[in-house]
Amino acid sequence: MIDIALMGHGVVGSGVAEIIINHAERINNSCKNNINIKYILDLRKFDNLPYSDKFITDFSAILEDNDIRIVVEVMGGVNPAYEFVRSCLLAGKSVVTSNKELVAAKGAELIKIARDKNVNFLFEASVGGGIPVLRPLVQCLAANEIKEINGILNGTTNYILNKMIVDNMDFETALKLAQENGYAEKNPAADIEGHDACRKVCILAALAFGKHVYPEQVSTEGITNISLDDIDYADKFNYVIKLIGSAKKLPDGKISASVRPTLVRRDNILSNVDGVFNAIMVNGDQTGDVLFYGKGAGKEATASAVVADIIDCAKHLDSRKYLYWDDGNDDYVDNNSTLKSKLYICVKSNDVSDVKSQIKKLFGDDIFIITNEFKNELAFLTNTDFEDSLYTKANQLKSITDIKILHTL
Ligand code: HSE
């Protein structure tokens, strides 16, 4: 029998406990051993559960119990999760976590401790919920040089945008539904302002390119500025708006990393990823594009990935799974690169015809402009060009009127 401890009994933690209990036979067969939840750490009381007797409030009971070989951290947040996880690894216990905030902030350090202690630190559930993506990225695509990753990495915002696009639902109502479904973070600002997707970009980039990327290095913008009009203009150009997380290898060995609302062309497969689903497109130099798709949030899907990691730890109690990246550094991420882009620009002006002629002068006569007379708004897509050149022109427009810029994919 292998004793494990769960730290946290929220949406994901309760899902993990239920899967371990309800799928005991399958899991135990797979591990060739019985997995026993010995403790569940949570400050709240959970009476009337079949496993209510396992709840504790004192972390030291887990740390000091030598029978506990695997600890599952599903509390979320950096503190106190970081101290707890670090102490468990230092004590020679393997740790499984779904905590993307923790891995994005402290991953390099925690992986190093796990390596030194010859234990495992696994976090498949931290990116893409129930989608197997980290393991395949590291193992199945190991022969590739990864060129770029683009993905829909946040279920809540994808759900909200989809409701706005398909049902014309307003932002607040859609967010409330996402919360009721258990998709949103405790503080949904992390979802709608892009921080959750940013943390996932950090983890994917670290695994793909070998160096820690810190959240503050990722250029991050959420979806709170996206209006139903933007969605409508995008539709007229044959695009949909998605929150896209992206990491690209640059020719000089640095990377670019961003999270931003992006117009995705309808013939791009990512444009069809709806609701709480996530999709991560990885481009390898040997495979070309590989797509990972599935439920990116929610109790069962996320718990499924956590339990798979527990099984993996149980099968490798005395050997290490290879997951590693180096510390990052300040100038590793360069978001001012000279990549080529095509921008969506929405302009507000009381003098629509004057602005129209300015747009044509700056961006070319062939630019197709949508005019919304009722709102004094114009929207257009630029031709593809170097980003710095497009931004120089956009800034000239900005000097005379209000503009909103979005990238395209
Ligand atoms: N709040 C996250 C999301 C949960 O909506 O994707 C899964 O990481």
Side-chain angles (χ1 to χ4, degrees), residues 205-246:
L207 283 173
F209 306 127
K211 248 188 196 194
H212 198 108
V213 176
Y214 297 95
E216 45 289 3
Q217 294 179 301
V218 180
S219 163
T220 300
E221 187 188 329
I223 62 164
T224 47
N225 278 333
I226 301 300
S227 66
L228 286 171
D229 290 320
D230 291 317
I231 284 169
D232 195 42
Y233 303 142
D235 182 54
K236 292 197 166 82
F237 292 124
N238 208 24
Y239 286 75
V240 288
I241 299 182
K242 299 280 181 194
L243 186 69
I244 298 291
S246 177

Side-chain angles (χ1 to χ4, degrees), residues 11-20 23 26-27 74 96 98 124-125 128-132 135 295 297-312:
V11 174
V12 180
S14 58
V16 171
E18 284 163 25
I19 294 181
I20 289 180
H23 291 250
R26 174 189 305 278
I27 292 167
V74 278
V96 171
S98 59
E124 182 64 59
I131 310 170
R135 217 176 246 87
K295 270 193 186 165
K299 177 173 170 169
E300 293 83 4
T302 311
S304 151
V306 172
V307 174
D309 274 352
I310 297 172
I311 295 171
D312 212 1

Side-chain angles (χ1 to χ4, degrees), residues 164-177:
M164 289 170 78
I165 294 166
V166 177
D167 298 336
N168 217 27
M169 189 181 276
D170 67 82
F171 188 95
E172 293 303 328
T173 313
L175 172 59
K176 200 159 166 285
L177 279 178

Side-chain angles (χ1 to χ4, degrees), residues 107-120:
E109 178 193 343
L110 295 171
I111 288 173
K112 218 171 273 168
I113 297 174
R115 189 176 63 164
D116 292 346
K117 292 288 171 183
N118 198 34
V119 292
N120 287 302

Side-chain angles (χ1 to χ4, degrees), residues 251-361:
D252 60 3
K254 295 182 182 183
I255 67 157
S256 74
S258 65
V259 171
R260 54 196 174 202
T262 302
L263 272 75
V264 181
R265 261 177 73 119
R266 283 205 185 272
D267 58 5
N268 183 322
I269 200 163
L270 293 179
S271 74
N272 292 317
V273 175
D274 290 336
V276 71
F277 282 80
N278 283 190
I280 301 117
M281 181 79 87
V282 179
N283 184 273
D285 67 342
Q286 302 305 307
T287 55
D289 283 338
V290 178
L291 183 71
F292 300 93
Y293 171 83
K295 270 193 186 165
K299 177 173 170 169
E300 293 83 4
T302 311
S304 151
V306 172
V307 174
D309 274 352
I310 297 172
I311 295 171
D312 212 1
C313 278
K315 285 172 157 173
H316 297 91
L317 275 180
D318 298 309
S319 58
R320 242 177 44 81
K321 301 284 296 177
Y322 187 81
L323 266 184
Y324 190 76
W325 63 74
D326 287 324
D327 284 328
N329 54 275
D330 284 348
D331 65 351
Y332 172 54
V333 183
D334 177 8
N335 290 322
N336 299 314
S337 65
T338 51
L339 295 175
K340 282 195 161 182
S341 278
K342 181 185 188 80
L343 301 178
Y344 159 91
I345 301 182
C346 179
V347 183
K348 263 202 180 313
S349 171
N350 290 328
D351 191 347
V352 164
S353 65
D354 177 53
V355 169
K356 223 174 188 169
S357 64
Q358 298 285 344
I359 292 169
K360 297 252 176 190
K361 246 191 247 164

Side-chain angles (χ1 to χ4, degrees), residues 137-201:
L137 180 62
V138 172
Q139 293 182 356
C140 313
L141 296 177
N144 286 258
E145 182 189 349
I146 304 299
K147 300 281 190 193
E148 93 180 73
I149 299 176
N150 290 298
I152 293 167
L153 300 171
N154 181 270
T156 301
T157 46
N158 203 49
Y159 181 86
I160 293 172
L161 288 171
N162 195 222
K163 287 282 177 200
M164 289 170 78
I165 294 166
V166 177
D167 298 336
N168 217 27
M169 189 181 276
D170 67 82
F171 188 95
E172 293 303 328
T173 313
L175 172 59
K176 200 159 166 285
L177 279 178
Q179 287 174 302
E180 282 168 14
N181 283 320
Y183 304 150
E185 296 300 298
K186 254 186 240 159
N187 175 3
D191 296 297
I192 62 182
E193 286 170 10
H195 304 303
D196 177 77
C198 158
R199 291 161 190 152
K200 294 164 179 168
V201 165

